[in-house]
Amino acid sequence: MTRLTAPFLDDPALKQVLAALAAGGAQALIVGGAVRNALLGEPVADVDISTSARPEDTVRLAEAAGLRSVPTGIEHGTVTVIADGRGFEVTSFRRDVETFGRRAVVAYSDRIEDDAHRRDFTMNALYATASGEVLDPVGGLPDLAARRLRFVGNPHARIAEDYLRILRFFRLLAWYGREAELQALAACRELREGLTGISRERIGHEIRKLLDAPDPSRAVALMAEAGVLPLVLPGADAGDLPDLVEVEREYGTGALPCWPRRLALLAPQDAEGALRLSRDEARAQDHIAAALALPAPAAAYRFGRASAAQAVLIRAARGERPAFGWCHDLARGAAAQFPLTARDLMPELSGPALGEALRRAEAAFVESDFTLPRDALLRIALQHEARA
């Protein structure tokens, strides 16, 4: 018998919720990512609960134990139970009666096997009791041990229930897998056109999480081979992604987020539209792309230290290693202050001529590595006017 030992099992709030359900005779089990991650020694974020209790019984049992409940997804069998100020999603065992893509007619069940067969991947269909005993209705433990990503049951059927599972497959492969089942890969390739009916917001959510994996390069390469990458990110080129991951390990990335840099390296034709990027996210992509065309100090001056650093790492992945002291160059560029303002050129200049003069002087300031003094910049700004 496999037994889970994880700190969250000693969480008093979790124990309260499980005990409240068990007091009514219901089976109450920890399920999914918490079990998977704990067995892999990975961090556990959220703890979800699966139960044989019907939603109305979950509410009744929670209230009887002095806990508050919120019907956050009661139409899907989910009730959020609040204990010690924290919410735990409690979902009733269900079985599919009929499926229509993402929509399904379901019936509640008393059997863990029925609930397990509704789940996407075998490593996500693992359950644990309050004492840590692991229950494995669909053979997920051997797959987890091998880091093998496999759909529960027929992969074509699982994907047809929700085509976003194609991207979840590659995302989980990037985070937790070493081996992708061949049948699963074939199904992702054959059914990839189903992704055209998925909202760009949902696709963007998955791609962000995939690209944030420690090393997504193999998963992204498999996406490209399966024809999925060009479908969701037209024009993307993942050839340099393994080198970027190596560069990140060599130079360190500090507080810089991974996915914007990796997305900029892929350089899809329309990342903003393809992934429904926010305005700030799209601006960051534009800044990184522009910074790639400039020396590091100039990029830091124009677009900020973070965007310039992202560009330095991307260039390094493409074979252009940064010069010694590049971090100091970025800091110097980001701290540089252009010493002229429009007021300094007035009333001699106004309108378009004023703007052009400031741009000319600022370009000279940057080209001089931020060394030209104010008087020299004034002469450069006014030289065109003097010639006129």
Side-chain angles (χ1 to χ4, degrees):
M1 178 183 69
T2 300
R3 185 167 290 279
L4 185 66
T5 56
F8 70 77
L9 290 174
D10 296 321
D11 180 0
L14 174 62
K15 287 184 173 182
Q16 275 187 285
V17 177
L18 295 174
L21 295 167
Q27 192 174 19
L29 303 169
I30 302 155
V31 65
V35 181
R36 175 199 66 215
N37 283 25
L39 288 170
L40 290 174
E42 299 281 349
V44 173
D46 300 315
V47 178
D48 295 327
I49 298 169
S50 191
T51 181
S52 59
R54 305 297 190 263
E56 62 273 15
D57 294 325
T58 296
V59 172
R60 176 178 56 80
L61 292 168
E63 291 177 351
L67 303 175
R68 189 164 64 90
S69 63
V70 181
T72 47
I74 200 161
E75 68 277 10
H76 303 296
T78 300
V79 175
T80 298
V81 177
I82 312 296
D84 194 25
R86 290 183 290 124
F88 295 86
E89 284 196 354
V90 180
T91 304
S92 301
F93 292 166
R94 296 173 295 168
R95 61 181 176 85
D96 285 334
V97 176
E98 196 172 1
T99 59
F100 310 90
R102 291 196 68 225
R103 295 178 295 112
V105 177
V106 300
Y108 295 120
S109 173
D110 298 318
R111 301 176 66 248
I112 185 178
E113 292 81 6
D114 290 335
D115 190 71
H117 278 91
R118 293 194 75 251
R119 297 185 178 271
D120 48 11
F121 306 104
T122 58
M123 65 170 59
N124 288 344
L126 295 169
Y127 300 73
T129 66
S131 63
E133 179 186 351
V134 177
L135 307 179
D136 181 16
V138 294
L141 282 173
D143 289 333
L144 190 67
R147 297 278 188 138
R148 179 173 51 246
L149 197 60
R150 182 167 65 88
F151 282 98
V152 173
N154 184 302
H156 288 78
R158 292 287 80 75
I159 291 172
E161 290 166 358
D162 184 356
Y163 288 102
L164 193 68
R165 284 176 172 171
I166 294 173
L167 294 186
R168 281 178 55 80
F169 175 83
F170 292 107
R171 191 246 296 177
L172 291 177
L173 182 66
W175 277 97
Y176 308 113
R178 285 195 296 262
E179 177 186 338
E181 186 193 40
L182 293 180
Q183 285 182 312
L185 276 173
C188 289
R189 181 176 62 252
E190 292 163 14
L191 299 178
R192 64 185 183 276
E193 291 296 332
L195 285 167
T196 59
I198 300 295
S199 74
R200 293 299 171 180
E201 288 81 2
R202 296 181 73 214
I203 288 175
H205 181 68
E206 288 294 329
I207 294 295
R208 287 174 178 86
K209 291 197 289 186
L210 186 158
L211 292 179
D212 259 338
D215 184 358
S217 55
R218 180 171 174 270
V220 174
L222 286 174
M223 284 178 68
E225 290 178 18
V228 173
L229 184 64
L231 188 69
V232 296
L233 286 175
D237 182 356
D240 292 326
L241 189 54
D243 294 310
L244 179 59
V245 173
E246 284 301 314
V247 164
E248 292 168 349
R249 290 169 179 162
E250 180 180 352
Y251 290 98
T253 58
L256 295 175
C258 288
W259 75 260
R261 173 174 61 253
R262 292 166 175 177
L263 181 62
L265 175 87
L266 296 177
Q269 292 166 0
D270 179 20
E272 181 178 3
L275 305 181
R276 289 292 190 269
L277 300 181
S278 70
R279 184 175 301 175
D280 288 343
E281 291 169 343
R283 184 183 299 112
Q285 288 296 301
D286 290 341
H287 285 178
I288 295 172
L292 284 167
L294 296 174
Y301 173 78
R302 296 287 187 188
F303 306 110
R305 188 173 181 175
S307 294
Q310 301 281 43
V312 166
L313 293 170
I314 292 172
R315 282 201 297 263
R318 292 172 175 166
E320 187 184 330
R321 292 285 167 154
F324 179 78
W326 64 275
C327 288
H328 296 292
D329 288 341
L330 293 185
R332 183 166 49 80
Q337 297 288 326
F338 181 52
L340 294 186
T341 68
R343 187 181 298 275
D344 296 318
L345 305 180
M346 298 168 63
E348 289 88 346
L349 298 176
S350 62
L354 175 60
E356 176 58 33
L358 283 172
R359 285 190 291 272
R360 183 169 57 249
E362 188 174 29
F365 176 65
V366 174
E367 189 175 352
S368 74
D369 203 22
F370 319 111
T371 60
L372 280 176
R374 184 175 180 278
D375 289 347
L377 293 170
L378 274 172
R379 288 194 296 273
I380 292 170
L382 296 171
Q383 67 185 3
H384 185 272
E385 182 68 16
R387 287 198 301 269

